[in-house]
Structure formats: C-alpha cells, structure tokens
Amino acid sequence: MSAPVAGPGEVVVDVERCGVCGTDAEFFSGEMAYLHTGEAAYPIRIGHEWAGVVAAVGSDVDGSWLGRRVTGDTMLGCGRCERCLDGRQHLCADRHEIGIRHGWPGALATQLPVPVRALHELPVDAELGALVEPGANAVRAVRAAALSAGRRLLVLGPGTIGLLCALFAAADGVEVHLLGVSPESLEFARSLGFPAWTAAELPALRFDAVIDASNAAALPERAVSLVEPGGRVVFIGIAGEPSRLDTRSLVLKDVTAVGVLSGSGGLAGAIERYASGAVDPRPLVAATVGLDEVADVLAGHRRPEWGAAPKIHVDPRR
C-alpha cells in the first residue's frame, strides 16, 4: 500500500504504538467473520488499537492538530444517516472500521490516515494511548453493568478486555471476581489483586452483574445462570460459533441483557481514567516488538520471558 495522504477532513498520524488484538489474529488466520460476509477482503492492513502524533492535515483541517499525540475511534460512520446524526456512528450500516471493515487501512504501519472527527487528544504517553481503544470497550461494558460501589461483579474471561473491565469496575469501588480456564491467566489476574476462579472453584456468591468477555459459546448461558435475579448481564465477547441462550431464563429471572459493540462512546472515559491514575493498564502489556515480529505474534507465538500478560504492542519505528 502507498503512503497515506491527508484528504479533506483527514489527518495522517505517525504511529508510535499499536496493540495486537484477537480480531487481528482472526484476520491473519482467515477466521474473521467479515472476510466471509464481504465486509472485509484481502489485502488489508490491520491494527485498530493505536496512538501516534499528527504529521499532516488535510487542506480544511485546523493546523493546530500538527504535532499532537492522539488516538481515535475505530468506527467511522458515514456522517449522514440517522444513526450517525443520533450519535451512533458505530452502528452505521455503511461505516468503515479502521483496520477491519471496508478496507480502511489500519495502524500496523508507520503511518495511518484518520478522519479528524474521530480523533481524541492524548494527555498520556503512547503506551497508554494504544490501550485506550480496548479500555473504551471495557468502560462501556462496566457502564452497562450499572453497579454502585460495594456491589459484586463477575467477569467471564481474564483476557485483555476482561481484565480491563475488572480494573475499571474496581476503580468504581465494585468487588470484582474473574472466571477463567488456564492456570496462567488466572494467576495473572490474581497478581493484579482479583479473586480468579475456574468453574469448579467458583464460590456460591451473589453476583449483581456478569460481564461475558470470553469467546466461549457456552458462557452466555452460564452468565445468565450465575447473575442475581434482577441483575444485568453484559455481552462484549464474541464466540466463533453461535451461542445458545434460552430467553425464558432472562424472563424468569427478570434479567437485563446488554450487548456492547466497540469502544465508541467510551474513549474519553478511558483517557480520563488513565490520565488521572485511577486505572493503570500497563501491567497488561507483556512486550513491545517491531513490525518484523508481527507475523509471529499474530500466529500466537510468544516468548517465554514475556510471561502471562495478555497484550502485545508493536512500535513500528523499531
């Protein structure tokens, strides 16, 4: 792909840091659903968790953006439809998604074109900036759980999003537990101060809300079975195959179920929590590599010395 040029309403960002996400790995393996629905096609430049410095602006863009460290919304709506005009551009039927949908190039590169309307200025460094997008997903999930301080939350899946949900909820004074499978991920969650359990170990506690941040098809049903009657279940993980959930379980327990797509609407909240120090996601980053190591990372290869932290960052300047 050729070097990007800032068109009308756009900037070009020099990428400082980009996170590798499960969605990126699915593009690498060919499993990503959009490849099979026609919403994405090869070749595609992936990467949507990013931070960088504005290097060029379009002719109609305020020049004061130059030199500012930024991140941005992954979801780029058309700006004209009812959903966009109603502030729901992440649900626009014609949206582009950076590094994911309809060919908009991603941030696993030295430069990235972005509409200026999607930008958020960063008062934090590039490492934290590249954690804003996944953090924004967690912000929205925790908001959807709607718990006050002292309530108890169960998070299914101690991966990046699940751990970020735990961190943001704990910052609100919520008691957080995590449910997982692998000993390594559970021990890492415990190292952050959270009780973490296998299904066999999970104590019989009242869970006022459950967030499913896993990719296991059986866990949506499990989430509903574990939540307190009248509680809330938030679905942010996406399984590779359909999940079965008897809606009678929702009705008979008077459960509110919420789906969360993307960090749109949560970016400013994540930035504020990082900048204030209320949430510190840095321990989730196992390593930072160069672009020459991306293929190995996408294929699931990890160096033993990286440990069990779930997130790998890429510095394309290396």
Side-chain angles (χ1 to χ4, degrees), residues 5-12 54 56-66 68 114-117 119:
V5 175
E10 296 178 0
V11 306
V12 171
V54 176
V57 300
S59 58
D60 58 346
V61 175
D62 188 341
S64 67
W65 279 104
L66 288 167
R68 290 155 71 178
V114 190
V116 69
R117 70 179 187 276
L119 295 182

Side-chain angles (χ1 to χ4, degrees), residues 55-117:
V57 300
S59 58
D60 58 346
V61 175
D62 188 341
S64 67
W65 279 104
L66 288 167
R68 290 155 71 178
R69 177 172 287 127
V70 295
T71 188
D73 199 339
T74 298
M75 305 298 209
L76 310 178
C78 70
R80 300 178 301 275
C81 70
E82 184 177 358
R83 294 173 190 170
C84 286
L85 296 175
D86 197 31
R88 297 177 294 138
Q89 82 287 341
H90 65 296
L91 300 175
C92 172
D94 295 325
R95 70 185 181 275
H96 290 81
E97 298 178 22
I98 290 176
I100 299 175
R101 191 173 192 258
H102 289 337
W104 194 285
L108 280 172
T110 56
Q111 291 190 311
L112 170 71
V114 190
V116 69
R117 70 179 187 276

Side-chain angles (χ1 to χ4, degrees), residues 1 22-46 99-104 298:
M1 294 183 178
T23 300
D24 301 319
E26 289 180 358
F27 271 112
F28 189 77
S29 68
E31 298 173 4
M32 208 285 167
Y34 285 173
L35 293 170
H36 306 287
T37 61
E39 295 166 270
Y42 297 127
I44 183 171
R45 181 181 293 158
I46 56 179
I100 299 175
R101 191 173 192 258
H102 289 337
W104 194 285
L298 291 170

Side-chain angles (χ1 to χ4, degrees), residues 121-135:
E121 186 170 11
L122 289 171
V124 296
D125 63 23
E127 181 179 38
L128 286 177
L131 288 162
V132 166
E133 194 277 340

